[in-house]
């Protein structure tokens, strides 16, 4: 009787009918629009059906409910026809309609006319539909990631390279060593005991955002040498910590103020250097170099934290010297420099998209002891050895190296992943050298500053596909013996392997036809290079790949897809309509880079899988703009600015228009390029519509920034995703076997070291404004319980 009373009134039918009619009208209007631009007719037909069903139900007619149930059946058939048995794609297509079907069945007995349907039949039908809906949700949230989808390398390789210092018990460089393998031979923590990891200590830097400085993203990976751990915070505070306790020994504050913050306040790493032939008690015999957001390199005594007065002026050198006018915030160092053969090689960040007349991307080499400028590489004025002639300045607006270089001390080469010219999305007016070196890996002779070879990954890049990842140096195990090689990941997803002595590709690049058109008809190249070794890129987007939390969201994204210019990767930028850039400028692979499992012969790469939805904005439109253009980069001096919708998000929910996953992690056979396993990276626990966390521990695959670390214990440690977790994977299978919740976003690469017989894993989860994760200042060290660590150590 209670059920009859609840649904016996026609008010339930009126309310539900009104809801169906409103949804139907929305789908009908949008469906007409979508069909008119060449998209699916489903939304038009479903909208017409829902509108009619809702109107009839408001009038109390049973026919309305039957029409909706017919539309629901049609929807189910259409959904499975379009995407098959894929949980996440089915979710927005079926969950909302299923809820409405259950409600329709429950109100059916209250409506007039048509066949007689009692409460028992309606209730049974509703229960069946509800059960099917719950089964769909359960199917969706179960982790469907494949386990091993390929074969592990047939034999374990020995990729040790005698030309590089092994990290051993320390972590002496940003990438473990200047080879940037992010590999540790430590195995006290392994797949059998990693579940016992606990927090050994936590250190708070005190460097948190203020109202004046909000764009934080610390991104730091500490370094560890002997009995000291060195950390750099978002605004370049440097700390010397006790590796066993996290207790602070000294700190240094370069006093970075708000005006000097570029796009992000970040300090990815520090550099440790020992002065040859220095006495043990000499000041600055060992030193820490920190690149600052103010465009300086500062040398600190590693033991005391005092400035090294014999280095440059007051212990620092200025990168902006010789650049001409440099406004605050335009020249910054967010990545550490690299020291090869006692030369500090420095790149720097030039803030993107502001103006064509931006400061130079010149690369400089300073003497690591004195700070004297030994050379400068200005790609336009390559005959200049160091400082510009009197009255001149380095060429402005040239490609810069904002990320980290790797170095080969034996060959005397430093490998620099280059960015773009100042106008990221326009190439007209660039000098020939800018097109040649933009988005390329350049090997420079560290003693002369002259390029030895370079490899360009994108021809006339107008997609901001600058090389963000540090190149990784390995000995490639070829059938003819080991080849000194470099592994180069890219934002467009391709991974290249080449001989690091001369740049010769070990796996060739295939030239494929590229889309033409856009605003610069004569500028687009007919072909673009593609790696034949491996790519992290997915197939081109289709309309059915659009997503949302409801059919209306999905329809809106489909309309945007059909209206945009899109011909696959390298679709030229357009001004008359939006264009889709896929992968987006965050990768593929960004600054986190890749890791090398030396024991198993694997590349471990995490990646992003998101599109951008962009449009070039004519100058006149920018000057009259009211601030409505999303992500506007003005590109002053160019005929167009650029409006960037990074991740292609819906305007009201903030959800990404493309269906999940949005990020993953993959193991790749380094000899063949074959995928060994591939996993989604990141759960939905801290993500959801309208910026609200869903709290669901569902592995959806989220955007991620920050790299992996691989150990001889068979483990991969990585955070990176937007769920504020650090996790450990089994390297052989990709199975996630340990996690911990972090106080902030883990957009940083972890590191590991051994100290006094105990192995530690350390991460600085400083959060990130771009990734919309919580900002924090804790540095966290994990280790096995002390008794367990002693037991393991005693058996080694």
């Amino acid at each position: 009787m209670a059920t009859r009373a609840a649904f016996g009134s026609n008010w339930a039918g009126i309310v539900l009918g009104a809801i169906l009619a409103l949804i139907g009208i929305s789908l009908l209007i949008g469906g007409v629009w979508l069909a008119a631009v060449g998209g699916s007719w489903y939304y038009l037909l479903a909208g017409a059906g829902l509108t009619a069903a809702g109107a009839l139900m408001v009038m109390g007619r049973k026919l309305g409910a039957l029409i909706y149930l017919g539309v629901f059946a049609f929807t189910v058939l259409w959904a499975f026809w379009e995407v098959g048995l894929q949980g996440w794609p089915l979710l927005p297509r079926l969950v909302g309609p299923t809820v409405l079907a259950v409600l329709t069945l429950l109100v059916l007995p209250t409506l007039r006319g048509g066949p007689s349907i009692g409460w028992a039949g309606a209730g049974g039908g509703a229960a069946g539909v509800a059960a099917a809906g719950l089964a769909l949700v359960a199917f969706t949230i179960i982790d469907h990631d494949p386990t091993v989808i390929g074969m592990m390398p047939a034999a374990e390789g020995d990729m040790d390279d005698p030309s590089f210092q092994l990290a051993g018990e320390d972590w002496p460089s940003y990438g473990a060593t200047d080879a940037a393998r992010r590999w540790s031979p430590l195995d006290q923590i392994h797949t059998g005991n990693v579940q016992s990891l606990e927090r050994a200590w936590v250190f708070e830097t005190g460097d948190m955002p203020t109202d004046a400085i909000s764009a934080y993203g610390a991104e730091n990976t500490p370094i560890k040498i002997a009995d000291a751990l060195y950390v750099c915070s978002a605004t370049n505070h440097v700390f010397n910590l006790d590796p066993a306790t996290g207790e602070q020994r000294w700190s240094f504050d370069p006093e970075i103020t708000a005006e000097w913050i570029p796009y992000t306040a970040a300090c990815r790493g520090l550099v440790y250097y020992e002065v040859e032939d220095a006495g043990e008690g000499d000041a600055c015999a060992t030193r820490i170099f920190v690149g600052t957001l103010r465009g300086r390199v500062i040398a600190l005594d590693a033991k005391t934290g005092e400035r090294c007065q014999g280095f440059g002026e007051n212990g620092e050198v200025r990168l902006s010297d010789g650049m001409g006018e440099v406004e605050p915030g335009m020249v910054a160092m967010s990545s550490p420099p690299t020291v090869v053969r006692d030369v500090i090689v420095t790149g720097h960040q030039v803030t993107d998209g502001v103006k064509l007349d931006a400061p130079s991307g010149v690369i400089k080499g300073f003497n690591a002891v004195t700070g004297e400028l030994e050379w400068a590489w200005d790609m336009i004025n390559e005959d200049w050895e160091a400082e510009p002639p009197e009255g001149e300045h380095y060429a402005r607006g040239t490609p810069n190296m904002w990320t980290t270089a790797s170095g080969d001390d034996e060959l005397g080469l430093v490998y620099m992943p280059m960015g773009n010219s100042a106008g990221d999305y326009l190439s007209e007016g660039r000098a020939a050298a800018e097109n040649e070196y933009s988005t390329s890996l350049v090997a420079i002779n560290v003693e002369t500053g002259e390029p030895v070879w370079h490899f360009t990954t994108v021809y006339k890049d107008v997609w901001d596909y600058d090389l963000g990842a540090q190149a990784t140096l390995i000995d490639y195990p070829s059938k003819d013996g080991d080849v000194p090689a470099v592994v180069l990941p890219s934002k467009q997803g391709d991974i290249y392997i080449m001989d690091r002595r001369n740049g010769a590709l070990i796996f060739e690049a295939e030239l494929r036809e590229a889309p033409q058109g856009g605003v610069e008809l004569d500028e687009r190249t007919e072909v673009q290079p593609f790696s034949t070794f491996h790519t992290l890129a997915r197939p081109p987007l289709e309309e059915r790949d659009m997503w949302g939390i409801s059919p209306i969201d999905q329809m809106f994204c489909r309309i945007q897809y059909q209206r945009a210019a899109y011909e696959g990767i390298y679709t030229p930028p357009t001004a008359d309509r939006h264009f889709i850039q896929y992968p987006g400028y965050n990768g593929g692979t960004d600054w986190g880079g890749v890791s090398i499992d030396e024991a198993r012969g694997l590349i471990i790469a995490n990646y992003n899988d998101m599109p951008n939805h962009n449009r070039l904005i004519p100058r006149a439109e920018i000057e009259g703009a009211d601030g409505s253009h999303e992500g506007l980069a003005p590109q002053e001096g160019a005929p167009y600015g650029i409006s960037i919708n990074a991740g292609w998000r819906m305007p009201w929910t903030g959800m990404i228009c493309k269906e999940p996953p949005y990020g993953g992690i993959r193991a790749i056979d380094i000899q063949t390029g074959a995928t060994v396993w591939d996993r989604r990276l990141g759960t939905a626990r801290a993500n959801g519509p309208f910026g609200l966390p869903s709290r669901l521990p569902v592995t959806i695959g989220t955007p991620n920034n920050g790299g992996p670390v691989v150990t001889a214990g068979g483990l991969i440690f990585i955070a990176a995703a937007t769920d504020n977790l650090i996790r450990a994977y089994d390297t052989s299978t990709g199975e996630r076997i340990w996690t911990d919740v972090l106080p902030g976003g883990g957009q940083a690469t972890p590191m590991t070291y051994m100290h006094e017989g105990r192995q530690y894993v350390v991460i600085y989860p400083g959060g990130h404004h771009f990734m919309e994760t919580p900002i924090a200042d804790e540095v966290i060290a994990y280790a096995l319980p002390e008794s367990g660590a002693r037991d393991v150590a005693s058996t080694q």
Side-chain angles (χ1 to χ4, degrees):
M1 296 297 294
T3 302
R4 182 183 296 273
F7 291 100
S9 169
N10 193 41
W11 285 107
I14 293 173
V15 171
L16 181 58
I19 293 172
L20 289 176
L22 288 173
I23 296 173
I25 292 170
S26 300
L27 290 176
L28 181 59
I29 294 172
V32 170
W33 191 1
L34 178 58
V37 293
S40 171
W41 282 68
Y42 161 77
Y43 297 88
L44 188 158
L45 298 175
L50 262 71
T51 302
L56 288 168
M57 288 178 67
V58 168
M59 293 186 289
R61 302 286 301 277
K62 190 170 292 183
L63 179 60
L66 297 177
I67 289 175
Y68 177 73
L69 293 175
V71 171
F72 175 67
F74 169 60
T75 297
V76 172
L77 293 173
W78 166 78
F80 282 102
W81 169 79
E82 194 171 51
V83 299
L85 287 171
Q86 299 184 65
W88 286 109
L90 286 173
L91 201 65
R93 291 170 169 86
L94 293 183
V95 168
T98 298
V99 172
L100 293 174
V102 171
L103 296 176
T104 299
L105 285 165
L106 291 175
V107 302
L108 192 56
T110 71
L111 303 175
R112 305 187 310 271
S116 176
I117 300 176
W119 289 105
V129 173
L134 290 172
L136 170 64
V137 173
F139 175 74
T140 301
I141 66 176
I142 292 173
D143 190 344
H144 292 294
D145 288 351
T147 52
V148 178
I149 61 174
M151 296 291 292
M152 286 290 290
E156 294 186 355
D158 181 5
M159 299 179 64
D160 289 352
D161 187 341
S163 64
F164 295 100
Q165 172 197 0
L166 287 174
E169 294 192 351
D170 288 345
W171 193 272
S173 296
Y174 171 65
T177 70
D178 286 341
R181 298 181 185 179
R182 295 171 181 83
W183 154 263
S184 171
L186 300 178
D187 61 0
Q188 183 182 90
I189 303 169
H190 53 74
T191 55
N193 62 18
V194 67
Q195 296 87 350
S196 300
L197 276 187
E198 61 182 19
R199 295 191 179 188
W201 54 259
V202 176
F203 170 75
E204 296 179 1
T205 69
D207 187 359
M208 290 287 285
T210 64
D211 292 339
I213 306 175
S214 59
Y216 266 41
E219 303 178 2
N220 181 254
T221 299
I223 60 174
K224 190 264 185 183
I225 300 93
D227 65 344
L229 185 74
Y230 300 94
V231 176
C232 182
S233 71
T235 57
N236 305 130
H237 297 222
V238 182
F239 302 90
N240 177 332
L241 308 180
D242 184 322
T245 65
E247 181 180 353
Q248 177 181 312
R249 292 167 175 162
W250 59 254
S251 67
F252 169 79
D253 180 3
E255 300 180 351
I256 303 297
T257 54
E259 61 182 339
W260 293 100
I261 305 299
Y263 177 69
T264 299
C267 183
R268 295 190 185 96
L270 299 163
V271 176
Y272 176 81
Y273 176 74
E274 296 180 357
V275 178
E276 189 176 359
D277 299 328
E280 185 175 343
D282 292 352
C284 290
T286 57
R287 51 188 68 182
I288 297 294
F289 292 116
V290 54
T292 77
L293 298 175
R294 198 170 177 176
R296 308 283 197 266
V297 176
I298 302 176
L300 305 174
D301 189 312
K303 295 187 180 300
T304 67
E306 299 294 326
R307 288 176 179 257
C308 297
Q309 295 299 328
F311 179 84
E313 181 180 338
N314 190 30
E316 67 178 46
V317 294
R318 296 184 297 272
L319 303 188
S320 57
D321 287 352
M323 289 189 185
E325 181 185 7
V326 176
E327 298 174 7
M330 286 297 292
V331 172
M333 288 189 72
S334 55
S335 297
T338 301
V339 179
V340 177
R341 293 189 179 180
D342 304 317
V343 176
I344 311 171
V345 180
T346 62
H348 56 275
Q349 174 184 343
V350 177
T351 303
D352 281 349
V354 177
K355 56 184 179 180
L356 298 190
D357 186 32
S360 177
V362 60
I363 307 294
K364 295 184 175 182
F366 296 93
N367 184 286
V369 177
T370 67
E372 180 183 356
L373 180 64
E374 299 199 348
W375 51 261
W377 179 56
D378 177 346
M379 63 182 63
I380 303 299
N381 302 293
E382 290 192 282
D383 55 330
W384 294 358
E385 292 184 0
E387 295 286 356
E390 187 174 352
E392 301 282 347
H393 54 70
Y394 300 117
R396 296 182 69 82
T398 53
N400 61 309
M401 184 193 72
W402 59 266
T403 189
T404 310
S406 44
D408 186 329
D409 208 70
E410 185 177 277
L411 293 176
L413 297 179
V414 61
Y415 302 91
M416 305 184 306
M418 298 298 294
N420 300 319
S421 299
D424 288 310
Y425 290 88
L426 296 165
S427 62
E428 192 171 13
R430 292 179 186 170
E434 293 180 81
N435 284 325
E436 184 175 2
Y437 291 114
S438 176
T439 320
S440 68
L441 184 68
V442 181
I444 278 191
N445 183 321
V446 76
E447 294 184 347
T448 66
E450 297 176 352
V452 175
W453 60 262
H454 69 279
F455 174 73
T456 304
T457 63
V458 181
Y459 300 154
K460 290 192 174 182
D461 182 8
V462 288
W463 300 274
D464 200 14
Y465 279 149
D466 50 335
L467 293 172
Q470 185 180 19
T472 296
L473 310 186
I474 65 170
D475 272 4
Y476 176 75
S478 77
K479 61 182 179 180
D480 298 321
D482 289 348
V483 177
V486 56
V487 178
L488 177 66
S490 67
K491 285 186 175 180
Q492 60 271 31
D494 281 348
I495 298 176
Y496 295 92
I497 298 185
M498 59 197 83
D499 189 320
R500 69 173 178 265
R501 297 168 295 188
N502 52 30
L505 289 168
I506 295 174
F507 291 81
E508 291 300 319
E510 180 179 271
L511 297 180
R512 301 177 193 167
E513 290 186 5
Q516 302 297 293
V519 299
E520 299 176 314
L521 294 176
D522 298 331
E523 282 288 297
R524 301 286 66 79
T525 60
E526 295 183 358
V527 296
Q528 289 287 356
F530 290 80
S531 172
T532 60
F533 171 70
H534 190 88
T535 185
L536 299 166
R538 303 286 184 171
L541 291 175
E542 300 180 32
E543 183 193 316
R544 64 182 179 180
D545 296 323
M546 299 301 101
W547 204 65
I549 60 173
S550 73
I552 294 175
D553 298 326
Q554 191 175 62
M555 178 183 67
F556 178 79
C557 290
R558 284 174 181 254
I559 292 171
Q560 286 192 327
Y561 174 88
Q562 290 291 351
R563 297 186 69 205
Y566 181 59
E567 301 175 65
I569 191 171
Y570 301 122
T571 295
T574 53
D576 58 334
R577 55 180 172 155
H578 284 83
F579 68 97
I580 296 171
Q581 178 185 345
Y582 181 62
Y585 67 48
N586 201 36
T589 303
D590 205 343
W591 52 265
V594 301
S595 295
I596 304 296
D597 187 324
E598 295 186 359
R600 295 166 182 81
L602 297 175
I603 297 172
I604 306 299
N606 58 301
Y607 58 90
N608 285 293
D609 184 20
M610 297 179 297
N612 287 359
H613 190 248
N614 305 337
R615 182 170 80 90
L616 291 172
I617 310 296
R619 180 61 50 203
E621 189 175 331
I622 292 176
E623 292 171 354
D626 58 1
S628 61
H629 291 300
E630 182 174 12
L632 178 63
Q635 298 191 143
E636 293 176 8
Y640 300 93
I642 180 76
S643 174
I644 304 171
N645 185 346
W648 189 1
R649 298 186 175 219
M650 302 172 217
W652 50 83
T653 65
M655 300 292 285
I656 296 172
C657 267
K658 174 197 164 291
E659 68 189 23
Y662 308 123
I665 183 168
R666 184 177 299 178
I668 303 160
D669 186 330
I670 205 165
Q671 289 187 285
T672 66
T675 297
V676 175
W677 51 259
D678 189 24
R679 292 276 190 177
R680 294 171 181 170
L681 174 61
T683 68
R685 62 178 297 276
N687 303 277
F690 311 106
L692 301 174
S694 70
R695 303 302 181 191
L696 294 174
V698 181
T699 305
I700 190 172
T702 73
N704 56 90
N705 261 328
V709 167
V710 186
T711 75
L715 295 170
I716 301 164
F717 290 99
I718 187 169
T722 57
D723 57 4
N724 312 325
L725 297 176
I726 184 173
R727 65 210 88 210
Y729 290 95
D730 185 321
T731 310
S732 297
T733 65
E735 180 186 0
R736 187 180 68 243
I737 54 179
W738 172 82
T739 61
D740 188 44
V741 178
L742 299 169
Q747 284 68 60
T749 304
M751 52 85 76
T752 186
Y753 62 86
M754 183 79 80
H755 187 69
E756 296 178 347
R758 195 179 188 196
Q759 183 182 353
Y760 296 81
V761 175
V762 175
I763 188 167
Y764 182 172
H768 209 284
H769 70 105
F770 173 71
M771 304 295 284
E772 299 178 2
T773 56
I775 305 301
D777 71 332
E778 289 98 327
V779 180
I780 303 172
Y782 297 91
L784 297 174
E786 287 197 73
S787 59
R790 283 196 300 268
D791 292 343
V792 173
S794 66
T795 65
Q796 294 177 341

